[in-house]
Each structure stands twice: as structure tokens, then as C-alpha cells.
Amino acid sequence: MAIVSSKISKADSPTPKGRERLVHAEPIEQERTLSREDSLRPSCFEDYIGQTELKQVLKISVTAALGRGEALDHVLLYGPPGLGKTTMALVLAKELGVKARLTSAPALERPRDIVGLLMNLQPRELLFVDEIHRLPKVAEELLYPAMEDRRLDLNVGKGNTARTRSVDLPPFTLVGATTRAGALSSPLRDRFGLSQRLEFYRLKDLQAIVERAACLLKLSLTNDACLEIARRCRSTPRIANRLLKRVRDVATVRGGMNVIDAQLVDEALELHRVDRKGLDASDRRLLEFLLKVHGGGPVGLDTIAAALGEDSATLESVVEPFLMQVGFLNRTPRGRVVTEAGRIHLGRLDKK
Ligand code: ADE
């Protein structure tokens, strides 16, 4: 039994207010509580483009859970940022016909934060914890029996009167999201019945995502314009939607543009220093540092992070996955190395 230091008294009752977003699965309620960026999110499996295998696996589990009248098993979603982990959690809630409670691990600082969330859950509801690798140890230990046995073990009283009180919880689904699955402790990882990686999106799926977003924003884009945004969005829908909005800004300022074409996309994205492969200034800075200062590598991650003034975990989980995916960077046992394709892209092949 986990021994935890959370205490519940009347004066100190769990108050998740402000630390949690409560989202109803029905679209009308969602619009009321979600931000503007969220209005482009798909809300059901049918509208969710790409991630075919993930959807297939989750659809089966959702259908089975609904058929048995049970809560969906706990789900861990991992992968680089912007690929749709939060969106998928909302889709799951919608498909299950339950409310989603959204929070993020850094907001669960005190034991009573997670206690409050768990105690307020209604049967079969979905609790989404973003950045779950950052969960404080006490919160993590409270989650173990909650996930496994639907039981909350609370320490009540002080000194001689201290004892553990167990509270039964309703069946619920924890959806954890992380960019760093490797940073999760194995006891926590093992308690997820489903553990799924989100992959970078294929070009044709990204093009469809841009078309869908353009339609929702009431914009008219040529197929080539959608394709150009798809090519330059780092295989990431969140970035595709962001680039689309920057293109819209340029079109608005120019005025008189009924249809946005590839040339306008190119001009707008040049302005934002997003190159033809989707690399931004920080990607190029990393590659340039390796090439200019170290002849292309190998260089250790910590050296790169110190030189660029970046956090090494961010470089590792946010910047590098895309550079590796486009084949511009390799991780080797001796450090990071720029590939030949990376050198060609930066026009520095001659320096080898
Ligand atoms: N917008 C962002 N991600 C999306 C996805 N996977 N499908 C459809 N629209 C999206």
C-alpha cells in the first residue's frame, strides 16, 4: 500500500479549480471551454486524419469497452509534440460519450491536486494528464493504486493518530501523454493497458489536414498551396495549422486575394524563415553549429545544448526527432552527426 502525505480536512479540501479544464465531449460544450486553436481539432475518429494504426487499435478498445459497459483501459500516448495526443484524448472521450478532464503533470504539484481530481471523477470519465513524465513522485504513488485497483490511499491525521484511509474510486480512464516515454518510471508505464506511439504524419495526410483547416477557416487554397504548407510543417499538424494562419495573415494584408496559391505560401513562409523542408531558425542553428564549429560532428548532446543555450531534453525530444526523420541528423554512440543530406540542404557539402 502506498503511504502518501496527502491530508484531507474540511479546510484543506481538494480544489482543482483553475488547475483543471473540464471538457464535455459534446462539440457545443467543447467550444465553450476550448481555446481558438482548438477549434481546428477533429472531435471524432472519423474526422481525425492519419495515425491509421493508432486509430485502429483505439477504435477496437473503445468499441469493446462500450460493449461491456466498462471504462476504457488506461492509455499512454507518446511521441513528439504537436502530433495530436491531446486531440486523441478528446476524441476518445467523445467516442466513449464521457467528459474529459484535462490537466498537466506540472500543475499537480501538491498531493491534494491529484486527490481532488481523482475524487471528483464520475464513473467512466477520462482524466487526461499531459507531460506525465513530469509527475511529482507523491502524485505518481497516489496514481498506482488508483489506476490498478481504483483505490486512493490517503494519510490522515498526524503523529500517533496518523493512519491510512482508503477511498474507493469509480472506474475511470487515465490518458497520459508524453514526449519522453523513456522518462516514465516502469511502475507507472506498466499500469497503462494501452501504450501507443504517435508517428510523424505522411505528406498526403498533412495535405488533407491543411485542406480541412482551410475549409473550417473559410479560406480558399489551391491544391499546390495546401501541398506546400504540408511540405513545410515538419510533418506536424499543429505546425501546419499555424503556418496556414500565417499565410492567411499575408493574404489578408495583401487584400483582394480570392484564392491563395503556392507562390503566396512560399512568400509568407520565407518571411517566417521556414525553409522548403520545414526547417526553422533553431533547426538550422543546430546544424550550422555542428558543421561550422565541429566539422559536422560527432558532438555530445550536452555540448550542443550548452553552446546553443537550449535545454538538452528539449533538443532531444522536440528538435532532433524531426531532423532525424528528414535524414539530416544521426545519433551515434559518440554524439550527433550531420548527414550528407543535411550538408547538402545547408549548401555545405564542400566542407566535408
Ligand atoms: N488538425 C490537427 N490534427 C488533425 C488530424 N489528425 N486530423 C484532422 N485535423 C487535424
Side-chain angles (χ1 to χ4, degrees):
M1 182 178 286
I3 301 300
V4 297
S5 57
S6 48
K7 298 180 187 89
I8 299 198
S9 68
K10 257 195 182 145
D12 196 21
S13 63
T15 49
K17 241 186 181 174
R19 296 175 166 267
E20 169 210 354
R21 285 198 292 163
L22 178 62
V23 179
H24 296 251
E26 299 82 33
I28 291 173
E29 291 293 341
Q30 272 189 23
E31 275 169 25
R32 209 189 295 159
T33 42
L34 294 175
S35 70
R36 259 197 304 160
E37 191 201 328
D38 295 321
S39 64
L40 298 181
R41 288 184 200 275
S43 62
C44 57
F45 282 135
E46 206 190 334
D47 291 349
Y48 194 110
I49 298 162
Q51 306 291 347
T52 318
E53 275 174 38
L54 170 74
K55 276 193 297 188
Q56 203 175 12
V57 167
L58 294 178
K59 264 185 196 172
I60 290 174
S61 296
V62 166
T63 310
L66 286 173
R68 289 192 299 261
E70 290 175 357
L72 177 70
D73 211 344
H74 306 301
V75 183
L76 179 66
L77 300 174
Y78 62 96
L83 299 189
K85 295 183 284 293
T86 309
T87 303
M88 186 51 89
L90 293 170
V91 166
L92 286 173
K94 165 88 175 169
E95 297 282 352
L96 290 162
V98 296
K99 284 175 190 165
R101 290 167 188 267
L102 310 185
T103 190
S104 163
L108 304 175
E109 226 173 281
R110 302 159 304 178
R112 72 176 186 203
D113 297 323
I114 186 84
V115 168
L117 275 171
L118 291 169
M119 299 234 327
N120 281 321
L121 286 171
Q122 297 300 307
R124 296 194 295 278
E125 275 186 0
L126 185 149
L127 173 60
F128 175 73
V129 181
D130 203 5
E131 299 187 72
I132 195 156
H133 61 278
R134 294 176 63 187
L135 211 54
K137 197 75 201 144
V138 279
E140 185 169 330
E141 284 177 357
L142 276 163
L143 269 184
Y144 296 158
M147 291 173 77
E148 205 156 64
D149 303 319
R150 287 191 244 133
R151 198 188 71 231
L152 201 48
D153 293 332
L154 305 167
N155 269 1
V156 288
K158 265 191 187 159
N160 285 346
T161 63
R163 65 203 151 81
T164 306
R165 205 186 107 201
S166 289
V167 178
D168 287 336
L169 294 171
F172 72 99
T173 302
L174 177 73
V175 179
T178 179
T179 52
R180 300 179 58 210
L184 247 67
S185 71
S186 39
L188 182 58
R189 215 176 21 235
D190 293 348
R191 282 171 171 79
F192 288 96
L194 292 152
S195 181
Q196 294 291 317
R197 185 186 153 80
L198 278 87
E199 305 290 345
F200 282 115
Y201 286 64
R202 293 176 307 172
L203 192 62
K204 88 170 185 25
D205 291 331
L206 292 162
Q207 192 178 355
I209 287 170
V210 175
E211 277 167 18
R212 177 179 176 275
C215 185
L216 291 172
L217 295 171
K218 300 191 175 21
L219 296 172
S220 183
L221 270 80
T222 65
N223 286 342
D224 283 351
C226 293
L227 184 61
E228 196 53 35
I229 294 177
R231 281 204 186 106
R232 292 162 82 150
C233 71
R234 305 169 68 97
S235 312
T236 304
R238 182 189 291 159
I239 298 179
N241 288 341
R242 196 185 297 154
L243 297 183
L244 176 63
K245 288 177 180 173
R246 298 297 69 81
V247 170
R248 177 179 63 171
D249 289 346
V250 174
T252 307
V253 170
R254 293 266 170 91
M257 310 216 49
N258 291 331
V259 179
I260 295 173
D261 60 14
Q263 195 190 335
L264 185 85
V265 170
D266 187 46
E267 283 171 34
L269 299 189
E270 284 289 315
L271 186 71
H272 287 278
R273 300 180 63 205
V274 174
D275 73 22
R276 291 193 170 269
K277 282 277 184 183
L279 271 63
D280 63 17
S282 53
D283 299 316
R284 285 192 298 270
R285 212 156 72 87
L286 188 151
L287 295 177
E288 289 283 2
F289 168 73
L290 291 182
L291 285 167
K292 279 191 190 153
V293 185
H294 295 277
V299 183
L301 177 65
D302 290 337
T303 307
I304 301 173
L308 302 181
E310 297 266 8
D311 167 50
S312 54
T314 307
L315 284 181
E316 195 172 27
S317 59
V318 179
V319 182
E320 290 187 347
F322 171 70
L323 292 176
M324 291 194 301
Q325 199 239 348
V326 286
F328 291 173
L329 186 78
N330 273 341
R331 282 180 186 154
T332 74
R334 293 176 52 227
R336 275 51 173 174
V337 180
V338 182
T339 63
E340 189 172 314
R343 287 173 189 268
I344 292 171
H345 183 71
L346 291 188
R348 299 179 65 94
L349 192 61
D350 49 312
K351 294 282 158 98
K352 199 171 181 182

Coordinates of all heavy atoms in Angstrom, one line a residue, residues 40-42 47-51 82-84 87 201 209 212 237-238 241, ligand 1:
L40 N -9.8 23.9 -34.5 CA -9.5 23.1 -35.7 C -9.3 21.6 -35.4 O -9.1 20.8 -36.3 CB -8.2 23.7 -36.3 CG -8.2 25.1 -36.8 CD1 -6.9 25.5 -37.4 CD2 -9.3 25.3 -37.8
R41 N -9.4 21.3 -34.1 CA -9.2 19.9 -33.7 C -10.3 19.0 -34.2 O -11.5 19.4 -34.1 CB -9.2 19.7 -32.2 CG -8.0 20.3 -31.5 CD -8.2 19.9 -30.0 NE -7.4 20.7 -29.1 CZ -6.2 20.4 -28.8 NH1 -5.6 19.4 -29.3 NH2 -5.5 21.2 -27.9
P42 N -10.0 17.9 -34.8 CA -11.1 16.9 -35.1 C -11.7 16.4 -33.7 O -11.0 16.3 -32.8 CB -10.4 15.8 -35.8 CG -9.0 15.9 -35.4 CD -8.7 17.3 -35.0
D47 N -13.2 12.2 -38.2 CA -12.6 13.4 -38.7 C -11.1 13.4 -38.5 O -10.4 14.3 -39.0 CB -13.2 14.6 -37.9 CG -14.6 14.8 -38.3 OD1 -15.1 14.2 -39.3 OD2 -15.3 15.6 -37.6
Y48 N -10.6 12.5 -37.7 CA -9.1 12.5 -37.4 C -8.4 11.9 -38.5 O -8.5 10.7 -38.8 CB -8.9 11.7 -36.1 CG -7.6 11.9 -35.4 CD1 -7.5 12.6 -34.2 CD2 -6.4 11.3 -35.9 CE1 -6.2 12.7 -33.5 CE2 -5.2 11.5 -35.3 CZ -5.1 12.2 -34.1 OH -3.9 12.3 -33.5
I49 N -7.5 12.7 -39.2 CA -6.8 12.2 -40.3 C -5.5 11.7 -39.9 O -4.8 12.2 -39.1 CB -6.6 13.4 -41.3 CG1 -8.0 13.9 -41.8 CG2 -5.7 13.0 -42.5 CD1 -8.0 15.3 -42.4
G50 N -5.1 10.6 -40.5 CA -3.7 10.0 -40.3 C -3.7 9.1 -39.0 O -4.8 8.7 -38.5
Q51 N -2.5 8.7 -38.6 CA -2.3 7.8 -37.4 C -3.2 6.6 -37.6 O -3.9 6.2 -36.6 CB -2.6 8.6 -36.1 CG -1.8 9.8 -35.9 CD -0.3 9.6 -35.7 OE1 0.1 8.5 -35.5 NE2 0.4 10.7 -35.8
G82 N 2.8 18.1 -30.8 CA 2.1 18.6 -32.0 C 1.5 17.6 -32.9 O 0.8 17.9 -33.9
L83 N 1.6 16.3 -32.5 CA 1.1 15.2 -33.4 C -0.3 14.8 -33.0 O -0.9 14.0 -33.7 CB 2.0 14.0 -33.3 CG 3.5 14.2 -33.8 CD1 4.2 12.9 -33.9 CD2 3.5 14.9 -35.1
G84 N -0.9 15.4 -31.9 CA -2.3 15.1 -31.7 C -2.6 14.3 -30.5 O -3.6 13.6 -30.5
T87 N -5.6 16.0 -28.7 CA -6.7 15.8 -29.6 C -7.3 14.4 -29.5 O -8.5 14.2 -29.4 CB -6.3 16.1 -31.1 OG1 -5.8 17.4 -31.1 CG2 -7.5 16.0 -32.0
Y201 N 3.4 12.6 -39.5 CA 2.3 12.4 -40.5 C 2.9 12.3 -41.9 O 3.9 12.9 -42.2 CB 1.3 13.5 -40.4 CG 0.4 13.5 -39.2 CD1 0.9 13.6 -38.0 CD2 -1.0 13.3 -39.4 CE1 0.1 13.5 -36.8 CE2 -1.8 13.2 -38.3 CZ -1.3 13.3 -37.0 OH -2.1 13.3 -35.9
I209 N -5.1 17.5 -44.0 CA -5.4 18.3 -42.7 C -5.4 19.8 -43.0 O -6.2 20.5 -42.5 CB -4.3 18.0 -41.7 CG1 -4.5 16.6 -41.1 CG2 -4.2 19.0 -40.5 CD1 -3.4 16.0 -40.2
R212 N -8.7 20.6 -44.7 CA -9.8 20.6 -43.7 C -9.8 21.9 -42.9 O -10.8 22.6 -42.7 CB -9.6 19.4 -42.8 CG -10.7 19.3 -41.7 CD -10.5 18.1 -40.8 NE -11.4 18.1 -39.7 CZ -11.2 18.7 -38.6 NH1 -10.0 19.4 -38.4 NH2 -12.1 18.7 -37.6
P237 N 0.8 18.3 -37.6 CA -0.4 19.1 -37.9 C -0.5 20.4 -37.1 O -1.0 21.4 -37.7 CB -1.5 18.1 -37.4 CG -0.9 16.8 -37.4 CD 0.5 17.0 -37.2
R238 N 0.0 20.5 -35.9 CA -0.1 21.7 -35.2 C 0.6 22.8 -35.9 O 0.2 24.0 -36.0 CB 0.4 21.6 -33.8 CG 0.3 22.9 -32.9 CD 1.1 22.8 -31.7 NE 0.5 21.8 -30.7 CZ 1.1 21.3 -29.7 NH1 2.4 21.5 -29.5 NH2 0.5 20.4 -28.9
N241 N -1.3 23.9 -39.1 CA -2.3 24.9 -38.9 C -1.8 26.3 -38.6 O -2.4 27.3 -38.9 CB -3.2 24.4 -37.7 CG -4.1 23.2 -38.2 OD1 -4.3 23.0 -39.4 ND2 -4.6 22.4 -37.2
Ligands
ADE1 N1 -6.0 19.0 -37.1 C1 -4.9 18.7 -36.3 N2 -4.7 17.4 -36.3 C2 -5.6 16.8 -37.1 C3 -5.8 15.5 -37.6 N3 -5.1 14.5 -37.2 N4 -6.9 15.3 -38.4 C4 -7.6 16.3 -38.8 N5 -7.4 17.6 -38.4 C5 -6.4 17.8 -37.6

